[in-house]
Amino acid sequence: MQLDTWLLYLAAAIGMSLSPGPNGLLALTHGAQHGSRKTLFTIFGGSLGFVLIMALSMFGIGALLKTSIVWLTVLKWVGGAYLVWLGIQVWRSAPIVVQASRGTSQVNGWALFRQGALSAATNPKGLLFFSAFLPLFIDPQRSLLVQFTVMSATFVATEVVTEFALASAANWIRPWLARIGRRFNQVCGGIFVAIGAALPLRA
C-alpha cells in the first residue's frame, strides 16, 4: 500500500472509530460504568470482531476480483456511494447518550470481551461497511494478504486508541456530547461524505 493511500485509509479509519456506532457507544458506556481498565476487555473483543468481518469482506472481494478486474471499479463506485449515504445518516443522527451509573457488582472481563466481539461481529452494517469501504483502497497488483494485514492492523490500532480514550474520558465526554454532540456527528458525517465522493475518482 502506497503511503498516500495509507494516510487516506488512516484518516477514514479514525473517522469511523470516532463516529457514532455500537462499539464506540459500548466503550463509552462500559467506561462510565466499569472504568477504563475493565473496558479494555470490551475494546479487544470488538477488535477481534472487526478483524473477522474485515477478513470476510476482503477475501470475499479478492475472490470476486479473480473473475474480473472490472468488479473493482464497480465496487469502488458502489462503496463511494454507500459512504456518502452513511455520512448523510451520521450527519443527521442524534447525539448519543451514555448512562453515568457504575455497576455495583464485579463485572467479569470475559463477559465484557464477549460483548465487544459480538457487537462488532454480528452487526450486519459492519460487514456492509467494510465490503463498501475496503475496495476503495485495494490495489489488485499487490498481495491481498499483505494489504489485509496492513489495513486490519491500522484499523485495530486506531480502534483501540480511540475507544480507550473514549472509555477513559467517558464521564467528561458525556456532558460534552449532550452539548455539542450533533455538531460532532456532522463533522464525522462530513468526513465520510468527502471520502466517499473523492476516492472513486482516484486512479
Side-chain angles (χ1 to χ4, degrees):
M1 180 179 283
Q2 295 181 346
L3 180 60
D4 61 336
T5 302
W6 179 81
L7 290 173
L8 282 170
Y9 177 80
L10 177 63
I14 292 171
M16 183 183 176
S17 297
L18 289 174
S19 64
N23 280 78
L25 178 57
L26 198 61
L28 266 174
T29 302
H30 285 180
Q33 293 178 342
H34 310 300
S36 57
R37 286 190 179 183
K38 276 285 187 182
T39 306
L40 281 172
F41 288 101
T42 308
I43 295 169
F44 288 134
S47 297
L48 175 62
F50 282 127
V51 169
L52 290 176
I53 60 173
M54 286 181 77
L56 284 173
S57 302
M58 192 121 177
F59 293 108
I61 292 164
L64 189 62
L65 293 182
K66 288 181 180 178
T67 64
S68 173
I69 198 66
V70 173
W71 280 111
L72 182 60
T73 302
V74 173
L75 288 172
K76 283 186 175 182
W77 282 99
V78 171
Y82 176 74
L83 288 186
V84 170
W85 178 85
L86 183 64
I88 293 170
Q89 300 306 305
V90 172
W91 179 289
R92 298 171 60 187
S93 63
I96 61 176
V97 177
V98 182
Q99 297 298 322
S101 60
R102 283 184 177 268
T104 55
S105 60
Q106 287 282 21
V107 65
N108 182 274
W110 169 246
L112 296 181
F113 182 91
R114 186 171 62 249
Q115 287 182 48
L118 289 174
S119 175
T122 63
N123 181 5
K125 290 183 179 179
L127 186 60
L128 180 60
F129 176 85
F130 283 115
S131 296
F133 179 64
L134 296 178
L136 297 169
F137 301 94
I138 290 176
D139 183 347
Q141 305 303 319
R142 298 175 185 267
S143 166
L144 198 65
L145 180 60
V146 171
Q147 291 181 83
F148 166 73
T149 302
V150 171
M151 289 184 184
S152 59
T154 300
F155 186 82
V156 165
T158 301
E159 195 73 13
V160 168
V161 169
T162 54
E163 287 191 9
F164 184 72
L166 290 173
S168 300
N171 289 309
W172 176 80
I173 288 174
R174 282 187 309 102
W176 179 81
L177 282 175
R179 190 170 64 253
I180 61 169
R182 186 172 293 278
R183 181 61 58 84
F184 179 74
N185 291 351
Q186 290 173 348
V187 171
C188 292
I191 291 172
F192 282 132
V193 169
I195 291 170
L199 282 181
L201 301 175
R202 287 167 53 88

